[in-house]
Amino acid sequence: MNTPSHSILNLAILDRGQLKGCTWPIIVGSWLPDAAIFVFYGWAKVMGLPEQVIWNEAYYTPVWQGIFAIGNSIPLALVGIGWFLWAKSPGGVALSASALLHHLEDLPLHHEDAHQHFWPLSDYRFISPVSYWDADHHGNYGALAELALVLVASVVLWRRVRSRWGRSLLLLVNTVYVGGYWQFYG
Ligand SMILES: [Zn+2]
C-alpha cells in the first residue's frame, strides 16, 4: 500500500476511544515501517541509479531486504504495544498499533515485493496473489481496493477533522489518488 493510505486508514481506525488525540503518534507509526524505503530511495538517487535498477535490482539486495524486514516486523510492533501498555504510554501504544495496522494492511496487497513480516522469528513472506500496483498480479483490482478504502476512511475523517489544513490535505491526497488511478487504469 502507498504510505499516505496507511496514514488515512490508521487515523480513521485508531484516533478515537482510548487513543483519541494521539494523532501524531498514529501518523508517525503509519510512516515508520516505510521509513527505510525512503532512505533507500534517497541513497539510490545519490548513487545515480536509474529507476529501473532501483526498484528491480537494488531493492531486492539482501542488505536492503534485511533492513526493510526490521521496519515491517509484526513481532516488533506487538512487543512495542506490550511495552508501552506496561509503561502506560498512550502515545507509544498508538504509534506501535499504527505500525501493526500498517503491516496488516500491506499483507493482502504485496506480491513480488512482499515483506518479511515475521522478522526475526522467520523470514517467511506471505506472497499475496494481489498487488497494489503490479498489473501482472491484479494491480488494477489491488489499486482499486486501496483507493476505495482510502475514500471511505477519508469520509470518516472528514467528519472528525475540523481544521482547514487537515481537510485540505485529505482533499489533496484523494485528488492525487483518483487522478493517478484514472491515469493508470482508466
Ligand atoms: Zn508498507
Side-chain angles (χ1 to χ4, degrees), residues 120-153:
L121 304 178
S122 156
D123 56 8
Y124 169 79
R125 293 166 201 260
F126 173 71
I127 308 292
S128 170
V130 181
S131 162
Y132 73 105
W133 62 271
D134 191 347
D136 291 342
H137 301 287
H138 313 290
N140 51 339
Y141 294 114
L144 189 62
E146 178 173 342
L147 180 64
L149 285 171
V150 168
L151 286 174
V152 171

PDB file of all heavy atoms in Angstrom, residues 120-153:
ATOM      1  N   PRO A 120      12.072 -11.129  13.724  1.00  0.00           N
ATOM      2  CA  PRO A 120      13.210 -12.022  13.471  1.00  0.00           C
ATOM      3  C   PRO A 120      12.868 -13.504  13.678  1.00  0.00           C
ATOM      4  O   PRO A 120      13.760 -14.337  13.677  1.00  0.00           O
ATOM      5  CB  PRO A 120      14.208 -11.575  14.541  1.00  0.00           C
ATOM      6  CG  PRO A 120      13.338 -11.182  15.709  1.00  0.00           C
ATOM      7  CD  PRO A 120      12.043 -10.681  15.134  1.00  0.00           C
ATOM      8  N   LEU A 121      11.574 -13.813  13.842  1.00  0.00           N
ATOM      9  CA  LEU A 121      11.188 -15.194  14.132  1.00  0.00           C
ATOM     10  C   LEU A 121      11.303 -16.079  12.896  1.00  0.00           C
ATOM     11  O   LEU A 121      11.608 -17.261  12.988  1.00  0.00           O
ATOM     12  CB  LEU A 121       9.744 -15.227  14.657  1.00  0.00           C
ATOM     13  CG  LEU A 121       9.464 -14.346  15.882  1.00  0.00           C
ATOM     14  CD1 LEU A 121       7.996 -14.431  16.282  1.00  0.00           C
ATOM     15  CD2 LEU A 121      10.360 -14.769  17.048  1.00  0.00           C
ATOM     16  N   SER A 122      11.043 -15.486  11.725  1.00  0.00           N
ATOM     17  CA  SER A 122      11.036 -16.272  10.495  1.00  0.00           C
ATOM     18  C   SER A 122      11.232 -15.331   9.319  1.00  0.00           C
ATOM     19  O   SER A 122      10.887 -14.144   9.404  1.00  0.00           O
ATOM     20  CB  SER A 122       9.686 -16.996  10.379  1.00  0.00           C
ATOM     21  OG  SER A 122       9.402 -17.291   9.031  1.00  0.00           O
ATOM     22  N   ASP A 123      11.813 -15.854   8.210  1.00  0.00           N
ATOM     23  CA  ASP A 123      11.951 -14.997   7.028  1.00  0.00           C
ATOM     24  C   ASP A 123      10.832 -15.294   6.030  1.00  0.00           C
ATOM     25  O   ASP A 123      10.915 -14.934   4.857  1.00  0.00           O
ATOM     26  CB  ASP A 123      13.337 -15.130   6.395  1.00  0.00           C
ATOM     27  CG  ASP A 123      13.677 -16.566   6.046  1.00  0.00           C
ATOM     28  OD1 ASP A 123      12.769 -17.431   6.160  1.00  0.00           O
ATOM     29  OD2 ASP A 123      14.832 -16.826   5.669  1.00  0.00           O
ATOM     30  N   TYR A 124       9.764 -15.936   6.516  1.00  0.00           N
ATOM     31  CA  TYR A 124       8.604 -16.243   5.681  1.00  0.00           C
ATOM     32  C   TYR A 124       7.986 -14.965   5.113  1.00  0.00           C
ATOM     33  O   TYR A 124       7.879 -13.954   5.804  1.00  0.00           O
ATOM     34  CB  TYR A 124       7.557 -17.000   6.510  1.00  0.00           C
ATOM     35  CG  TYR A 124       6.217 -17.144   5.822  1.00  0.00           C
ATOM     36  CD1 TYR A 124       6.027 -18.121   4.847  1.00  0.00           C
ATOM     37  CD2 TYR A 124       5.148 -16.306   6.146  1.00  0.00           C
ATOM     38  CE1 TYR A 124       4.801 -18.260   4.207  1.00  0.00           C
ATOM     39  CE2 TYR A 124       3.919 -16.433   5.509  1.00  0.00           C
ATOM     40  CZ  TYR A 124       3.752 -17.411   4.541  1.00  0.00           C
ATOM     41  OH  TYR A 124       2.539 -17.529   3.914  1.00  0.00           O
ATOM     42  N   ARG A 125       7.602 -15.041   3.835  1.00  0.00           N
ATOM     43  CA  ARG A 125       6.880 -13.922   3.218  1.00  0.00           C
ATOM     44  C   ARG A 125       5.530 -14.420   2.744  1.00  0.00           C
ATOM     45  O   ARG A 125       5.460 -15.450   2.065  1.00  0.00           O
ATOM     46  CB  ARG A 125       7.632 -13.408   1.984  1.00  0.00           C
ATOM     47  CG  ARG A 125       8.952 -12.766   2.254  1.00  0.00           C
ATOM     48  CD  ARG A 125       9.698 -12.642   0.926  1.00  0.00           C
ATOM     49  NE  ARG A 125      11.123 -12.495   1.179  1.00  0.00           N
ATOM     50  CZ  ARG A 125      11.766 -11.326   1.155  1.00  0.00           C
ATOM     51  NH1 ARG A 125      11.112 -10.239   0.870  1.00  0.00           N
ATOM     52  NH2 ARG A 125      13.047 -11.276   1.413  1.00  0.00           N
ATOM     53  N   PHE A 126       4.481 -13.716   3.065  1.00  0.00           N
ATOM     54  CA  PHE A 126       3.172 -14.043   2.515  1.00  0.00           C
ATOM     55  C   PHE A 126       3.060 -13.389   1.139  1.00  0.00           C
ATOM     56  O   PHE A 126       3.013 -12.169   1.026  1.00  0.00           O
ATOM     57  CB  PHE A 126       2.042 -13.548   3.426  1.00  0.00           C
ATOM     58  CG  PHE A 126       0.685 -13.734   2.793  1.00  0.00           C
ATOM     59  CD1 PHE A 126       0.150 -15.004   2.642  1.00  0.00           C
ATOM     60  CD2 PHE A 126      -0.029 -12.643   2.319  1.00  0.00           C
ATOM     61  CE1 PHE A 126      -1.087 -15.186   2.028  1.00  0.00           C
ATOM     62  CE2 PHE A 126      -1.267 -12.816   1.702  1.00  0.00           C
ATOM     63  CZ  PHE A 126      -1.797 -14.082   1.562  1.00  0.00           C
ATOM     64  N   ILE A 127       3.080 -14.227   0.085  1.00  0.00           N
ATOM     65  CA  ILE A 127       3.005 -13.712  -1.285  1.00  0.00           C
ATOM     66  C   ILE A 127       1.539 -13.630  -1.675  1.00  0.00           C
ATOM     67  O   ILE A 127       0.935 -14.642  -2.045  1.00  0.00           O
ATOM     68  CB  ILE A 127       3.759 -14.642  -2.267  1.00  0.00           C
ATOM     69  CG1 ILE A 127       5.187 -14.925  -1.768  1.00  0.00           C
ATOM     70  CG2 ILE A 127       3.754 -14.049  -3.675  1.00  0.00           C
ATOM     71  CD1 ILE A 127       6.107 -13.738  -1.785  1.00  0.00           C
ATOM     72  N   SER A 128       0.973 -12.444  -1.599  1.00  0.00           N
ATOM     73  CA  SER A 128      -0.442 -12.290  -1.954  1.00  0.00           C
ATOM     74  C   SER A 128      -0.609 -12.406  -3.462  1.00  0.00           C
ATOM     75  O   SER A 128       0.248 -11.961  -4.231  1.00  0.00           O
ATOM     76  CB  SER A 128      -0.943 -10.933  -1.478  1.00  0.00           C
ATOM     77  OG  SER A 128      -2.224 -10.685  -2.007  1.00  0.00           O
ATOM     78  N   PRO A 129      -1.713 -13.028  -3.921  1.00  0.00           N
ATOM     79  CA  PRO A 129      -1.961 -13.073  -5.378  1.00  0.00           C
ATOM     80  C   PRO A 129      -2.268 -11.686  -5.942  1.00  0.00           C
ATOM     81  O   PRO A 129      -2.185 -11.473  -7.139  1.00  0.00           O
ATOM     82  CB  PRO A 129      -3.168 -14.005  -5.509  1.00  0.00           C
ATOM     83  CG  PRO A 129      -3.805 -14.035  -4.157  1.00  0.00           C
ATOM     84  CD  PRO A 129      -2.731 -13.761  -3.155  1.00  0.00           C
ATOM     85  N   VAL A 130      -2.614 -10.753  -5.065  1.00  0.00           N
ATOM     86  CA  VAL A 130      -2.984  -9.398  -5.500  1.00  0.00           C
ATOM     87  C   VAL A 130      -1.908  -8.404  -5.082  1.00  0.00           C
ATOM     88  O   VAL A 130      -1.439  -8.428  -3.952  1.00  0.00           O
ATOM     89  CB  VAL A 130      -4.336  -8.970  -4.887  1.00  0.00           C
ATOM     90  CG1 VAL A 130      -4.710  -7.566  -5.376  1.00  0.00           C
ATOM     91  CG2 VAL A 130      -5.427  -9.964  -5.234  1.00  0.00           C
ATOM     92  N   SER A 131      -1.513  -7.534  -6.036  1.00  0.00           N
ATOM     93  CA  SER A 131      -0.558  -6.464  -5.752  1.00  0.00           C
ATOM     94  C   SER A 131      -1.281  -5.123  -5.798  1.00  0.00           C
ATOM     95  O   SER A 131      -2.266  -4.979  -6.528  1.00  0.00           O
ATOM     96  CB  SER A 131       0.564  -6.486  -6.791  1.00  0.00           C
ATOM     97  OG  SER A 131       1.256  -5.257  -6.812  1.00  0.00           O
ATOM     98  N   TYR A 132      -0.793  -4.150  -5.032  1.00  0.00           N
ATOM     99  CA  TYR A 132      -1.455  -2.831  -5.071  1.00  0.00           C
ATOM    100  C   TYR A 132      -0.984  -1.995  -6.253  1.00  0.00           C
ATOM    101  O   TYR A 132      -1.459  -0.892  -6.445  1.00  0.00           O
ATOM    102  CB  TYR A 132      -1.243  -2.078  -3.745  1.00  0.00           C
ATOM    103  CG  TYR A 132       0.150  -1.533  -3.526  1.00  0.00           C
ATOM    104  CD1 TYR A 132       0.416  -0.182  -3.654  1.00  0.00           C
ATOM    105  CD2 TYR A 132       1.204  -2.377  -3.188  1.00  0.00           C
ATOM    106  CE1 TYR A 132       1.695   0.321  -3.446  1.00  0.00           C
ATOM    107  CE2 TYR A 132       2.476  -1.892  -2.986  1.00  0.00           C
ATOM    108  CZ  TYR A 132       2.714  -0.541  -3.117  1.00  0.00           C
ATOM    109  OH  TYR A 132       3.986  -0.053  -2.922  1.00  0.00           O
ATOM    110  N   TRP A 133      -0.022  -2.545  -7.054  1.00  0.00           N
ATOM    111  CA  TRP A 133       0.473  -1.756  -8.184  1.00  0.00           C
ATOM    112  C   TRP A 133       0.818  -2.597  -9.426  1.00  0.00           C
ATOM    113  O   TRP A 133       0.786  -2.106 -10.548  1.00  0.00           O
ATOM    114  CB  TRP A 133       1.714  -0.966  -7.780  1.00  0.00           C
ATOM    115  CG  TRP A 133       2.872  -1.853  -7.360  1.00  0.00           C
ATOM    116  CD1 TRP A 133       3.113  -2.304  -6.094  1.00  0.00           C
ATOM    117  CD2 TRP A 133       3.886  -2.404  -8.197  1.00  0.00           C
ATOM    118  NE1 TRP A 133       4.225  -3.109  -6.098  1.00  0.00           N
ATOM    119  CE2 TRP A 133       4.725  -3.180  -7.370  1.00  0.00           C
ATOM    120  CE3 TRP A 133       4.165  -2.316  -9.557  1.00  0.00           C
ATOM    121  CZ2 TRP A 133       5.832  -3.880  -7.873  1.00  0.00           C
ATOM    122  CZ3 TRP A 133       5.264  -3.011 -10.056  1.00  0.00           C
ATOM    123  CH2 TRP A 133       6.088  -3.775  -9.214  1.00  0.00           C
ATOM    124  N   ASP A 134       1.177  -3.879  -9.240  1.00  0.00           N
ATOM    125  CA  ASP A 134       1.717  -4.685 -10.334  1.00  0.00           C
ATOM    126  C   ASP A 134       0.597  -5.238 -11.225  1.00  0.00           C
ATOM    127  O   ASP A 134      -0.185  -6.087 -10.797  1.00  0.00           O
ATOM    128  CB  ASP A 134       2.543  -5.832  -9.731  1.00  0.00           C
ATOM    129  CG  ASP A 134       3.357  -6.544 -10.789  1.00  0.00           C
ATOM    130  OD1 ASP A 134       3.102  -6.314 -11.999  1.00  0.00           O
ATOM    131  OD2 ASP A 134       4.252  -7.325 -10.414  1.00  0.00           O
ATOM    132  N   ALA A 135       0.539  -4.744 -12.473  1.00  0.00           N
ATOM    133  CA  ALA A 135      -0.519  -5.149 -13.402  1.00  0.00           C
ATOM    134  C   ALA A 135      -0.507  -6.660 -13.653  1.00  0.00           C
ATOM    135  O   ALA A 135      -1.547  -7.253 -13.953  1.00  0.00           O
ATOM    136  CB  ALA A 135      -0.384  -4.393 -14.716  1.00  0.00           C
ATOM    137  N   ASP A 136       0.676  -7.312 -13.515  1.00  0.00           N
ATOM    138  CA  ASP A 136       0.759  -8.761 -13.725  1.00  0.00           C
ATOM    139  C   ASP A 136       0.099  -9.532 -12.586  1.00  0.00           C
ATOM    140  O   ASP A 136      -0.104 -10.739 -12.685  1.00  0.00           O
ATOM    141  CB  ASP A 136       2.233  -9.200 -13.832  1.00  0.00           C
ATOM    142  CG  ASP A 136       2.860  -8.686 -15.115  1.00  0.00           C
ATOM    143  OD1 ASP A 136       2.105  -8.322 -16.042  1.00  0.00           O
ATOM    144  OD2 ASP A 136       4.107  -8.637 -15.177  1.00  0.00           O
ATOM    145  N   HIS A 137      -0.191  -8.849 -11.502  1.00  0.00           N
ATOM    146  CA  HIS A 137      -0.806  -9.511 -10.347  1.00  0.00           C
ATOM    147  C   HIS A 137      -2.023  -8.727  -9.870  1.00  0.00           C
ATOM    148  O   HIS A 137      -2.091  -8.288  -8.724  1.00  0.00           O
ATOM    149  CB  HIS A 137       0.227  -9.700  -9.229  1.00  0.00           C
ATOM    150  CG  HIS A 137       1.393 -10.530  -9.676  1.00  0.00           C
ATOM    151  ND1 HIS A 137       1.308 -11.885  -9.875  1.00  0.00           N
ATOM    152  CD2 HIS A 137       2.658 -10.182 -10.034  1.00  0.00           C
ATOM    153  CE1 HIS A 137       2.475 -12.348 -10.305  1.00  0.00           C
ATOM    154  NE2 HIS A 137       3.308 -11.335 -10.419  1.00  0.00           N
ATOM    155  N   HIS A 138      -2.958  -8.573 -10.789  1.00  0.00           N
ATOM    156  CA  HIS A 138      -4.250  -7.917 -10.495  1.00  0.00           C
ATOM    157  C   HIS A 138      -4.082  -6.535  -9.887  1.00  0.00           C
ATOM    158  O   HIS A 138      -4.873  -6.139  -9.032  1.00  0.00           O
ATOM    159  CB  HIS A 138      -5.095  -8.798  -9.571  1.00  0.00           C
ATOM    160  CG  HIS A 138      -5.155 -10.229 -10.006  1.00  0.00           C
ATOM    161  ND1 HIS A 138      -5.843 -10.620 -11.135  1.00  0.00           N
ATOM    162  CD2 HIS A 138      -4.590 -11.358  -9.494  1.00  0.00           C
ATOM    163  CE1 HIS A 138      -5.700 -11.938 -11.296  1.00  0.00           C
ATOM    164  NE2 HIS A 138      -4.944 -12.406 -10.320  1.00  0.00           N
ATOM    165  N   GLY A 139      -3.037  -5.808 -10.349  1.00  0.00           N
ATOM    166  CA  GLY A 139      -2.779  -4.470  -9.817  1.00  0.00           C
ATOM    167  C   GLY A 139      -3.970  -3.531  -9.957  1.00  0.00           C
ATOM    168  O   GLY A 139      -4.181  -2.653  -9.117  1.00  0.00           O
ATOM    169  N   ASN A 140      -4.772  -3.735 -11.030  1.00  0.00           N
ATOM    170  CA  ASN A 140      -5.932  -2.855 -11.204  1.00  0.00           C
ATOM    171  C   ASN A 140      -6.935  -3.030 -10.066  1.00  0.00           C
ATOM    172  O   ASN A 140      -7.478  -2.054  -9.546  1.00  0.00           O
ATOM    173  CB  ASN A 140      -6.592  -3.076 -12.569  1.00  0.00           C
ATOM    174  CG  ASN A 140      -6.876  -4.537 -12.850  1.00  0.00           C
ATOM    175  OD1 ASN A 140      -6.257  -5.417 -12.242  1.00  0.00           O
ATOM    176  ND2 ASN A 140      -7.793  -4.812 -13.753  1.00  0.00           N
ATOM    177  N   TYR A 141      -7.134  -4.281  -9.645  1.00  0.00           N
ATOM    178  CA  TYR A 141      -8.067  -4.526  -8.529  1.00  0.00           C
ATOM    179  C   TYR A 141      -7.461  -4.108  -7.191  1.00  0.00           C
ATOM    180  O   TYR A 141      -8.141  -3.552  -6.338  1.00  0.00           O
ATOM    181  CB  TYR A 141      -8.464  -6.001  -8.466  1.00  0.00           C
ATOM    182  CG  TYR A 141      -9.265  -6.438  -9.665  1.00  0.00           C
ATOM    183  CD1 TYR A 141      -8.737  -7.363 -10.561  1.00  0.00           C
ATOM    184  CD2 TYR A 141     -10.529  -5.900  -9.920  1.00  0.00           C
ATOM    185  CE1 TYR A 141      -9.460  -7.758 -11.682  1.00  0.00           C
ATOM    186  CE2 TYR A 141     -11.250  -6.290 -11.042  1.00  0.00           C
ATOM    187  CZ  TYR A 141     -10.714  -7.215 -11.914  1.00  0.00           C
ATOM    188  OH  TYR A 141     -11.423  -7.587 -13.024  1.00  0.00           O
ATOM    189  N   GLY A 142      -6.162  -4.395  -7.030  1.00  0.00           N
ATOM    190  CA  GLY A 142      -5.482  -4.023  -5.794  1.00  0.00           C
ATOM    191  C   GLY A 142      -5.509  -2.519  -5.585  1.00  0.00           C
ATOM    192  O   GLY A 142      -5.820  -2.034  -4.495  1.00  0.00           O
ATOM    193  N   ALA A 143      -5.210  -1.771  -6.665  1.00  0.00           N
ATOM    194  CA  ALA A 143      -5.200  -0.307  -6.577  1.00  0.00           C
ATOM    195  C   ALA A 143      -6.612   0.210  -6.310  1.00  0.00           C
ATOM    196  O   ALA A 143      -6.804   1.168  -5.552  1.00  0.00           O
ATOM    197  CB  ALA A 143      -4.642   0.291  -7.861  1.00  0.00           C
ATOM    198  N   LEU A 144      -7.598  -0.447  -6.929  1.00  0.00           N
ATOM    199  CA  LEU A 144      -8.989  -0.024  -6.730  1.00  0.00           C
ATOM    200  C   LEU A 144      -9.414  -0.262  -5.278  1.00  0.00           C
ATOM    201  O   LEU A 144     -10.076   0.579  -4.667  1.00  0.00           O
ATOM    202  CB  LEU A 144      -9.918  -0.786  -7.694  1.00  0.00           C
ATOM    203  CG  LEU A 144     -11.358  -0.303  -7.744  1.00  0.00           C
ATOM    204  CD1 LEU A 144     -11.422   1.140  -8.244  1.00  0.00           C
ATOM    205  CD2 LEU A 144     -12.200  -1.197  -8.674  1.00  0.00           C
ATOM    206  N   ALA A 145      -9.007  -1.411  -4.724  1.00  0.00           N
ATOM    207  CA  ALA A 145      -9.338  -1.723  -3.332  1.00  0.00           C
ATOM    208  C   ALA A 145      -8.709  -0.688  -2.407  1.00  0.00           C
ATOM    209  O   ALA A 145      -9.367  -0.186  -1.477  1.00  0.00           O
ATOM    210  CB  ALA A 145      -8.835  -3.128  -2.979  1.00  0.00           C
ATOM    211  N   GLU A 146      -7.435  -0.341  -2.664  1.00  0.00           N
ATOM    212  CA  GLU A 146      -6.756   0.656  -1.836  1.00  0.00           C
ATOM    213  C   GLU A 146      -7.468   2.009  -1.948  1.00  0.00           C
ATOM    214  O   GLU A 146      -7.739   2.663  -0.933  1.00  0.00           O
ATOM    215  CB  GLU A 146      -5.294   0.796  -2.280  1.00  0.00           C
ATOM    216  CG  GLU A 146      -4.541   1.862  -1.493  1.00  0.00           C
ATOM    217  CD  GLU A 146      -3.041   1.899  -1.818  1.00  0.00           C
ATOM    218  OE1 GLU A 146      -2.512   0.922  -2.380  1.00  0.00           O
ATOM    219  OE2 GLU A 146      -2.412   2.920  -1.492  1.00  0.00           O
ATOM    220  N   LEU A 147      -7.814   2.388  -3.172  1.00  0.00           N
ATOM    221  CA  LEU A 147      -8.496   3.670  -3.407  1.00  0.00           C
ATOM    222  C   LEU A 147      -9.840   3.703  -2.672  1.00  0.00           C
ATOM    223  O   LEU A 147     -10.171   4.692  -2.005  1.00  0.00           O
ATOM    224  CB  LEU A 147      -8.702   3.859  -4.913  1.00  0.00           C
ATOM    225  CG  LEU A 147      -9.409   5.144  -5.363  1.00  0.00           C
ATOM    226  CD1 LEU A 147      -8.573   6.368  -5.005  1.00  0.00           C
ATOM    227  CD2 LEU A 147      -9.660   5.119  -6.869  1.00  0.00           C
ATOM    228  N   ALA A 148     -10.586   2.610  -2.759  1.00  0.00           N
ATOM    229  CA  ALA A 148     -11.904   2.560  -2.120  1.00  0.00           C
ATOM    230  C   ALA A 148     -11.774   2.682  -0.603  1.00  0.00           C
ATOM    231  O   ALA A 148     -12.524   3.426   0.039  1.00  0.00           O
ATOM    232  CB  ALA A 148     -12.615   1.262  -2.496  1.00  0.00           C
ATOM    233  N   LEU A 149     -10.807   1.959  -0.029  1.00  0.00           N
ATOM    234  CA  LEU A 149     -10.597   2.018   1.423  1.00  0.00           C
ATOM    235  C   LEU A 149     -10.237   3.437   1.858  1.00  0.00           C
ATOM    236  O   LEU A 149     -10.744   3.943   2.870  1.00  0.00           O
ATOM    237  CB  LEU A 149      -9.474   1.052   1.838  1.00  0.00           C
ATOM    238  CG  LEU A 149      -9.829  -0.431   1.854  1.00  0.00           C
ATOM    239  CD1 LEU A 149      -8.583  -1.272   2.068  1.00  0.00           C
ATOM    240  CD2 LEU A 149     -10.854  -0.726   2.953  1.00  0.00           C
ATOM    241  N   VAL A 150      -9.357   4.082   1.074  1.00  0.00           N
ATOM    242  CA  VAL A 150      -8.918   5.444   1.418  1.00  0.00           C
ATOM    243  C   VAL A 150     -10.097   6.412   1.328  1.00  0.00           C
ATOM    244  O   VAL A 150     -10.264   7.287   2.193  1.00  0.00           O
ATOM    245  CB  VAL A 150      -7.751   5.888   0.507  1.00  0.00           C
ATOM    246  CG1 VAL A 150      -7.475   7.374   0.650  1.00  0.00           C
ATOM    247  CG2 VAL A 150      -6.499   5.094   0.838  1.00  0.00           C
ATOM    248  N   LEU A 151     -10.934   6.254   0.307  1.00  0.00           N
ATOM    249  CA  LEU A 151     -12.084   7.157   0.152  1.00  0.00           C
ATOM    250  C   LEU A 151     -13.041   7.017   1.338  1.00  0.00           C
ATOM    251  O   LEU A 151     -13.483   8.015   1.909  1.00  0.00           O
ATOM    252  CB  LEU A 151     -12.815   6.872  -1.171  1.00  0.00           C
ATOM    253  CG  LEU A 151     -12.100   7.353  -2.438  1.00  0.00           C
ATOM    254  CD1 LEU A 151     -12.835   6.898  -3.699  1.00  0.00           C
ATOM    255  CD2 LEU A 151     -11.963   8.873  -2.454  1.00  0.00           C
ATOM    256  N   VAL A 152     -13.330   5.771   1.724  1.00  0.00           N
ATOM    257  CA  VAL A 152     -14.241   5.550   2.864  1.00  0.00           C
ATOM    258  C   VAL A 152     -13.639   6.122   4.139  1.00  0.00           C
ATOM    259  O   VAL A 152     -14.309   6.846   4.888  1.00  0.00           O
ATOM    260  CB  VAL A 152     -14.532   4.035   3.037  1.00  0.00           C
ATOM    261  CG1 VAL A 152     -15.283   3.791   4.337  1.00  0.00           C
ATOM    262  CG2 VAL A 152     -15.331   3.509   1.847  1.00  0.00           C
ATOM    263  N   ALA A 153     -12.351   5.845   4.375  1.00  0.00           N
ATOM    264  CA  ALA A 153     -11.677   6.351   5.579  1.00  0.00           C
ATOM    265  C   ALA A 153     -11.636   7.873   5.566  1.00  0.00           C
ATOM    266  O   ALA A 153     -11.744   8.519   6.621  1.00  0.00           O
ATOM    267  CB  ALA A 153     -10.264   5.779   5.671  1.00  0.00           C
TER     268      ALA A 153
END
